[in-house]
Amino acid sequence: MKNQISKFVIVFCGIVSLTFFGCKDSPTKPKRQMVDSGSWYETGFTPWPHDGTPYESENFVIYSDAASLEARQLLSQICEEAFAIITQKLGIADLSILRFPADRNRKIHIYAYKNYFPQQWGGQAYYGGYLIYSPDHPQRTRLGHTSLDKYVPLVKHEMMHVVQTLIIGANDERLYSWFAEGAAIEISDDNFYIKIDNQSRFDSLITAYGMINVISIHHSWELPTLPEGVGLFYSYPMFWLAVRYMTDPAGQGGTFHDVRDVMIDVANDVPFGTSLVNRFGITQSEFEAQFFTLMDSYLQ
């Protein structure tokens, strides 16, 4: 789901059920005068106008095509709480390390869409912001996707990607996909992916999909698309497992402060592989070559 401008954005929310319910891409025709502008236009795939009544909080500006004021306020509250959790987990006490685009007034932009229903994604991050269905999205609500147990993890996942872009800057492909996605899944504690927490689960996925080495996936466009379901059921759980191993005392022994420092390193033009060995004690090439052996040992 990631595009060339939004490198961290990958198929995420609700992809289990999105393609099964007659989804549509066309919005309901808005009744009010709409504004044809917004930072999300930079993504190239979402030239969606907003209604000109954004809701602003301490760290966010919530735009929408049609969400109610109550929905925007709820989303703002969820976002503020998620942002606090993520910055605390990463050990970011000084927000000045975040490299906001010059025109954002150091606030994260969110487009909460209500009248759109894209088939392949529910949330997408881009540099300094993200798009997400609104808490009062009618189809998503009927599907149960706006319940807090599903909605909050989605917000946290996309928020982690936004923080990644704000630390690294616009050239965010320098952070490899397995690391970026695994960190977002771990920090959001989402329930969209079945976690690989035992040897049996690990072995069954390899039997079903083959020994696809996810550590070799540096960029989103390298993600395998076949066999069907490989991303949802294999790649993303493996991404999570890789980062869990890196940040587990029983694994490589790092922390999310090390995750933060990798992002800071690549922001300062340190190659990802160099930062990985400096922060976690293992090179990219070593981890890739030893991935299956290390995971076998870790999961026993």
Side-chain angles (χ1 to χ4, degrees):
M1 181 176 80
K2 203 185 304 184
N3 69 10
Q4 294 294 327
I5 298 176
S6 177
K7 296 293 189 285
F8 291 127
V9 178
I10 300 184
V11 174
F12 180 58
C13 171
I15 57 181
V16 175
S17 56
L18 275 177
T19 59
F20 301 150
F21 292 90
C23 303
K24 63 180 181 179
D25 289 312
S26 300
T28 301
K29 185 177 180 180
K31 297 180 180 179
R32 66 178 72 184
Q33 183 67 38
M34 304 296 280
V35 180
D36 276 306
S37 66
S39 60
W40 55 92
Y41 276 59
E42 300 166 8
T43 64
F45 58 87
T46 50
W48 295 345
H50 66 92
D51 61 8
T53 58
Y55 180 83
E56 192 165 348
S57 63
E58 181 180 0
N59 293 294
F60 298 91
V61 182
I62 313 284
Y63 296 89
S64 182
D65 56 339
S68 68
L69 175 61
E70 291 77 15
R72 298 177 207 219
Q73 290 172 330
L74 174 60
L75 177 55
S76 174
Q77 179 182 350
I78 294 171
C79 288
E80 292 289 357
E81 292 174 357
F83 186 63
I85 289 169
I86 290 169
T87 52
Q88 181 179 24
K89 179 83 170 178
L90 292 171
I92 299 175
D94 184 357
L95 297 183
S96 67
I97 74 167
L98 303 181
R99 303 181 180 191
F100 283 87
D103 60 347
R104 307 287 175 84
N105 196 28
R106 298 196 61 81
K107 293 204 174 187
I108 294 170
H109 286 189
I110 297 175
Y111 185 97
Y113 60 90
K114 182 177 180 179
N115 288 331
Y116 297 86
F117 199 170
Q119 296 186 27
Q120 299 300 322
W121 55 274
Q124 293 222 32
Y126 60 92
Y127 179 29
Y130 64 90
L131 302 97
I132 187 172
Y133 55 84
S134 67
D136 59 352
H137 190 283
Q139 295 96 329
R140 292 287 190 170
T141 298
R142 286 196 295 271
L143 294 172
H145 296 168
T146 58
S147 61
L148 291 181
D149 64 319
K150 292 182 173 62
Y151 197 67
V152 171
L154 170 60
V155 170
K156 290 169 68 177
H157 183 112
E158 299 302 337
M159 188 80 70
M160 179 60 179
H161 285 321
V162 173
V163 171
Q164 289 168 350
T165 70
L166 290 175
I167 292 174
I168 297 171
N171 191 18
D172 52 32
E173 76 274 7
R174 291 174 291 180
L175 194 68
Y176 287 3
S177 284
W178 71 263
F179 189 86
E181 286 300 328
I185 296 169
E186 170 70 2
I187 210 164
S188 66
D189 193 26
D190 66 72
N191 54 11
F192 293 102
Y193 308 103
I194 299 174
K195 304 300 196 303
I196 305 171
D197 54 6
N198 58 70
Q199 185 73 48
S200 176
R201 175 67 181 160
F202 184 67
D203 292 342
S204 67
L205 288 181
I206 292 172
T207 299
Y209 295 98
M211 295 183 71
I212 301 170
N213 192 327
V214 298
I215 308 306
S216 68
I217 299 174
H218 301 173
H219 307 292
S220 61
W221 55 87
E222 298 170 353
L223 276 166
T225 58
L226 293 173
E228 186 176 355
V230 65
L232 176 65
F233 298 113
Y234 182 93
S235 297
Y236 286 88
M238 288 288 184
F239 290 156
W240 171 82
L241 177 62
V243 172
R244 170 57 69 93
Y245 169 80
M246 286 292 201
T247 57
D248 189 339
Q252 202 62 28
T255 70
F256 260 75
H257 289 194
D258 296 308
V259 172
R260 172 205 63 202
D261 289 342
V262 169
M263 292 187 283
I264 293 173
D265 284 346
V266 298
N268 292 319
D269 297 321
V270 176
F272 175 77
T274 301
S275 180
L276 202 67
V277 70
N278 289 342
R279 305 302 181 182
F280 290 97
I282 188 170
T283 67
Q284 166 69 21
S285 59
E286 287 172 339
F287 195 30
E288 183 175 335
Q290 301 172 24
F291 177 68
F292 292 102
T293 301
L294 288 171
M295 295 307 102
D296 281 334
S297 177
Y298 176 56
L299 291 168
Q300 288 178 359

